Amino acid sequence: MNHRSKSALDTSIQFTKGVGPNLAKRFAAKGIFTVGDALWFFPRSYEDRRAQKKISQIEPGETISLKAKVLDFGTRRIGPRRQLFELLLGDESGQIVCKWFNFSAAAFKKRFSRGDTVRVAGKVDLYRGIRQLVHPDISKQYSSASQGSASDAEMDFGTLVPIYPEVEGIYPRSLRMIIRRVVDSFAGKVTDVLPESVVKEHGLCSLSDAIRQIHLPPRDADTELFLGFRSKAHRRVVFEEFFVLQLGLALRRKVNQSRQSARFANCRELFSHAFELFGFELTNAQKRVLSEIANDLHSGHPMNRLLQGDVGSGKTAVAVMAALMLARAGSQTALMAPTEVLSLQHLKSISSLFKGKPVELKLAYLSSDVKGRRRKEVMESISSGDADLVIGTQALIEDAVDFKDLGLVIVDEQHRFGVLQRARLREKGNSPHVLVMTATPIPRTLSMTLYGDLDVSILDQLPPGRSPVRTVVISPSQLGQAYRQIRRQAQSGAQAYIICPLVEESEKMPLVDATRMYGDLKEGALAGLKLGLVHGRMKPEEKESVMADFASGKLDVLVSTTVVEVGVDVAAATIMIIENAERFGLSQLHQLRGRVG
C-alpha cells in the first residue's frame, strides 16, 4: 500500500544520492522505482549492535559488534586472479582478523591507518584456530570534535540495525545508507489516511513516525518487539493495511448490494424433494444454509456468499438445491471445480441423484478433454439454455463459452482459483448470484478480514452416515501402535490410507516417500495385508485400476501421495496416516481427512 504526495514520493530512486542510473536498474528489478517504493521496502529483520564485546569474549558462530584498533593490514594473492585483504584488529583482551575477498585494493589501503579506532560487526567463525570476520561491516570511530564528518556507515553501529531483503548488486551497507537518505528526506511527506479519531482511539503513532522508526529504530528500541514486528511502529503500519483492506471490501460490498440482479421465487417447496433426491433428510445446518441462499436469490441483489463445511458435510447437496431453484425459473447455473478429477466426481454424483427421479436437472460437462463433435454439442446446449447446470473446470471461462442466461455461479474449492478467474466466470452472466465453497475451516475473524465482502454460511453438521473424524498428532515412536490399529481394523473389514509427501526418495528432501513406504510396510509392519500403491507418475489406467481395487475392497491399505486428495469415496475407509503432515497445506489436510469417516 503506497500513500503518495505525487509531487514528492513519485521522485525516481535514481536521483537519491549514491544511486544513479546503474543502481536504479538494480532497484527496479526488486520493484523499487520511486522514493515512495523505497519507503515501503521494509527490513526483513534486525541486528542488535548496541552491546559491544571485548575480543576475548566472542565465540565462533556469534554475530557481534566490537570496537578495536587497527594493528596491521595488507593484501595477499590467493589465486591467479584473486586477492585477499586482511585487517588485523586488537583490543586490550586479544586480536581478530577481518577478511574481504571482493574489494578495491587502492580504496581499502587509503581507508585505514595503523592505530585507527574502528567499529566492526559481523558473524565470527574460526579458521585454523583463529577467530575471523569475513566481509564485516566496518567504520572508523570519529572523535567527538570531528563528529560532523562522521560517515553514513557509522550509523550501522551502536544501534538496532535493519536487515533488508537482498537487492542483487547492492551491498547491504550501501542499501541501508540509500534507504536512510530516502527516509530522512521523504518520510515526513507521506499522507496519513487514517482519521484522527481512529488514531487516537487505538493509540497509534503517525504514519511518517512509524516509517521512520521501522527503518531507523530508536536507540532504546525493544529488540524482541522489533524482531517480532510487534513494535508500535510496525503495529501502526499493519493496522493501516488492514483498515484500508476492510474499507475496500466494505466499498465492494456496498457496490455489489447496489447492483440489481434477477429476483428468483423463494422455492422453499423444493426442500421437500431433498429426501427423494438424496435418500435422507437434510440436516438442520443444510436447511438453514438453503434458507439463507433462497433469501439471497429472492432479494433482487447479487448473492455473494461463502459456504464453508468439511468434506462430506453436504455442500454439493446444497449447491444442487440452489441450481434446482434457478432451473425452476428457467435460469442456468455454472459449477466450476479446480481439477478434472473433482469436476468429474461432481458430474458423476449429481447425475446419479436424478436417475429415475421425478425431479429433473439437465446437466452438461465441459473441460479441456471434451473435444470435437462432443464439445460442439456441449457448447450449443449451454448457449441455447438447454443445459440447466454446467459442470466443468476453468474451461468454463474460455471466451467461446456463451451462456444463454447464467443466473448462479458456484465455485468449488475457491482458494484454488485466482480472483480474475472467478471474475471471468461471473462476467458470463448479467450480475449473477455467486456461491463459493471451501472445505478449509476459516476462523470467523480471518473470514471477516479476507472475505469481508462475502456473507458466510457454515455447515456445522454431518449428514446421516458420516462419522466425525478424530484427528491426532503422533510421534514416530507411536507409529507401531498406529499400524497395529490398521491391522485390527482390516480384520473387521475396514480399510486405511497412508499418505506420503514424495513419490520416491529424494536427496534434497529427507521426507517419507510412497514407493519405499509401500515396500517397507508390505514386508514389515503390515505384512500379510493386501496393499496397493498409487501416485501421480503412474499411467492413468494403472491409477484407476488400483483405486478401483481399493474401492471394491480388494485392498486393505492404500499407500499414496496426495493424488487421492480428491477421489472416489470409499465407505469402508476408517483410518488415515499422513506422514510429514507439516509439508501439506491446511486445505490439503482437510481434503485428505475427508477421504475417511
Side-chain angles (χ1 to χ4, degrees):
M1 180 184 62
N2 254 331
H3 308 292
R4 301 181 172 186
S5 166
K6 285 198 172 184
S7 59
L9 299 191
D10 282 337
T11 303
S12 171
I13 191 72
Q14 174 181 336
F15 302 115
T16 300
K17 183 181 176 184
V19 181
N22 290 333
L23 289 193
K25 290 177 184 176
R26 304 281 188 182
F27 275 111
K30 199 72 175 178
I32 302 169
F33 300 93
T34 67
V35 293
D37 296 329
L39 288 178
W40 290 88
F41 184 65
F42 289 142
R44 60 175 172 79
S45 186
Y46 295 88
E47 196 174 284
D48 196 341
R49 296 182 181 176
R50 289 172 294 190
Q52 300 211 358
K53 287 195 168 187
K54 297 294 182 186
I55 293 174
S56 62
Q57 296 173 323
I58 62 178
E59 298 290 338
E62 279 189 293
T63 298
I64 56 90
S65 177
L66 59 87
K67 185 161 68 172
K69 285 193 179 297
V70 175
L71 303 179
D72 203 359
F73 58 88
T75 58
R76 62 184 174 91
R77 196 165 293 281
I78 54 172
R81 296 183 180 179
R82 295 191 73 198
Q83 282 188 314
L84 169 69
F85 185 88
E86 292 180 301
L87 188 69
L88 181 63
L89 302 180
D91 61 15
E92 63 272 23
S93 72
Q95 297 179 351
I96 191 168
V97 177
C98 299
K99 295 180 179 179
W100 288 268
F101 293 92
N102 300 308
F103 63 94
S104 162
F108 262 63
K109 285 178 181 177
K110 288 178 184 175
R111 189 172 171 189
F112 301 107
S113 300
R114 291 171 182 83
D116 281 347
T117 298
V118 295
R119 287 177 172 179
V120 64
K123 188 172 182 180
V124 181
D125 59 37
L126 215 56
Y127 179 70
R128 294 182 178 175
I130 300 172
R131 281 172 292 201
Q132 66 174 18
L133 292 159
V134 179
H135 289 273
D137 280 345
I138 189 165
S139 169
K140 283 186 183 181
Q141 172 72 52
Y142 291 88
S143 66
S144 55
S146 61
Q147 196 74 129
S149 55
S151 67
D152 278 300
E154 195 175 0
M155 294 286 288
D156 286 334
F157 299 93
T159 186
L160 200 60
V161 176
I163 307 298
Y164 291 95
E166 182 183 1
V167 177
E168 189 178 348
I170 303 180
Y171 289 119
R173 192 176 67 189
S174 300
L175 178 59
R176 284 195 295 270
M177 178 184 70
I178 291 165
I179 297 291
R180 195 177 293 133
R181 289 172 181 166
V182 170
V183 171
D184 286 343
S185 300
F186 295 98
K189 300 182 186 297
V190 295
T191 304
D192 209 325
V193 300
L194 290 183
E196 193 175 333
S197 59
V198 173
V199 172
K200 285 182 178 177
E201 181 184 349
H202 294 276
L204 302 172
C205 61
S206 71
L207 183 59
S208 58
D209 283 348
I211 289 173
R212 192 173 283 108
Q213 287 183 34
I214 288 172
H215 289 292
L216 307 172
R219 290 188 181 272
D220 61 351
D222 185 311
T223 307
E224 285 192 17
L225 289 181
F226 270 78
L227 286 174
F229 306 107
R230 292 180 289 109
S231 73
K232 195 171 182 179
H234 287 95
R235 181 171 170 263
R236 170 64 175 81
V237 171
V238 170
F239 185 96
E240 182 159 321
E241 291 283 354
F242 280 117
F243 182 89
V244 173
L245 173 64
Q246 289 298 293
L247 186 62
L249 289 171
L251 288 171
R252 196 159 74 181
R253 186 186 185 99
K254 188 174 181 180
V255 168
N256 193 56
Q257 289 173 342
S258 69
R259 288 191 179 121
Q260 298 300 307
S261 188
R263 185 192 295 270
F264 295 96
N266 202 327
C267 305
R268 291 172 191 256
E269 71 273 9
L270 279 176
F271 295 178
S272 61
H273 292 301
F275 185 82
E276 298 171 26
L277 283 172
F278 308 125
F280 55 79
E281 283 288 338
L282 294 176
T283 64
N284 289 332
Q286 286 173 309
K287 290 175 182 176
R288 183 189 72 244
V289 170
L290 274 169
S291 292
E292 292 167 353
I293 290 171
N295 290 337
D296 286 347
L297 296 176
H298 185 62
S299 70
H301 302 290
M303 174 175 70
N304 207 20
R305 187 168 290 277
L306 170 69
L307 175 55
Q308 178 186 312
D310 260 349
V311 175
S313 62
K315 295 190 299 296
T316 304
V318 169
V320 168
M321 296 301 294
L324 269 172
M325 290 182 208
L326 269 84
R328 277 284 179 92
S331 195
Q332 294 170 291
T333 298
L335 169 54
M336 184 168 69
T339 65
E340 190 148 356
V341 173
L342 183 54
S343 60
L344 284 170
Q345 182 177 300
H346 281 312
L347 178 67
K348 183 180 176 182
S349 61
I350 295 172
S351 297
S352 66
L353 289 175
F354 291 93
K355 279 185 181 174
K357 304 288 172 59
V359 183
E360 187 182 10
L361 191 65
K362 288 174 280 186
L363 306 181
Y365 177 75
L366 187 65
S367 76
S368 57
D369 276 1
V370 177
K371 300 182 188 298
R373 184 177 175 182
R374 178 62 190 145
R375 188 178 188 86
K376 186 180 178 185
E377 290 172 352
V378 171
M379 300 286 259
E380 286 176 356
S381 73
I382 296 171
S383 60
S384 67
D386 188 49
D388 298 320
L389 172 59
V390 185
I391 300 168
T393 59
Q394 54 187 308
L396 294 176
I397 67 176
E398 291 175 7
D399 292 339
V401 180
D402 181 27
F403 286 84
K404 182 182 181 183
D405 179 18
L406 180 60
L408 173 62
V409 168
I410 301 172
V411 181
D412 195 13
E413 294 306 318
Q414 62 85 28
H415 61 278
R416 301 276 289 273
F417 292 102
V419 173
L420 295 179
Q421 289 173 311
R422 296 196 296 268
R424 284 189 66 185
L425 184 56
R426 284 200 303 273
E427 288 164 4
K428 298 286 183 182
N430 182 21
S431 293
H433 298 279
V434 177
L435 180 68
V436 296
M437 306 194 294
T438 181
T440 306
I442 305 168
R444 183 171 180 274
T445 49
L446 187 59
S447 69
M448 287 169 66
T449 302
L450 295 177
Y451 306 114
D453 59 330
L454 298 177
D455 295 305
V456 180
S457 294
I458 300 174
L459 288 175
D460 50 10
Q461 286 177 292
L462 292 175
R466 294 288 304 201
S467 306
V469 178
R470 181 168 166 260
T471 306
V472 295
V473 177
I474 63 172
S475 64
S477 63
Q478 296 172 295
L479 267 175
Q481 184 181 338
Y483 292 141
R484 286 192 291 275
Q485 173 73 357
I486 287 177
R487 190 177 285 280
R488 284 194 296 272
Q489 294 270 343
Q491 287 168 353
S492 63
Q495 294 168 281
Y497 291 95
I498 296 174
I499 308 298
C500 305
L502 299 179
V503 174
E504 294 173 342
E505 192 173 3
S506 167
E507 290 181 6
K508 294 180 181 178
M509 292 184 285
L511 305 174
V512 177
D513 64 279
T515 307
R516 183 170 56 83
M517 175 65 80
Y518 171 73
D520 289 350
L521 291 177
K522 199 172 183 180
E523 302 299 324
L526 299 181
L529 296 184
K530 289 169 283 188
L531 272 67
L533 171 67
V534 65
H535 55 72
R537 292 186 194 170
M538 296 168 67
K539 293 178 180 176
E541 54 270 22
E542 288 178 315
K543 280 193 291 186
E544 287 170 17
S545 174
V546 176
M547 289 295 294
D549 285 347
F550 187 65
S552 64
K554 292 179 183 176
L555 298 174
D556 300 310
V557 179
L558 186 63
V559 181
S560 174
T561 56
T562 54
V563 292
V564 297
E565 178 183 341
V566 175
V568 181
D569 289 326
V570 180
T574 60
I575 189 168
M576 174 182 281
I577 294 176
I578 303 176
E579 293 280 357
N580 297 116
E582 75 281 357
R583 304 294 296 193
F584 300 102
L586 182 61
S587 60
Q588 275 185 311
L589 290 173
H590 279 279
Q591 283 291 344
L592 289 167
R593 197 178 71 148
R595 298 297 105 215
V596 297

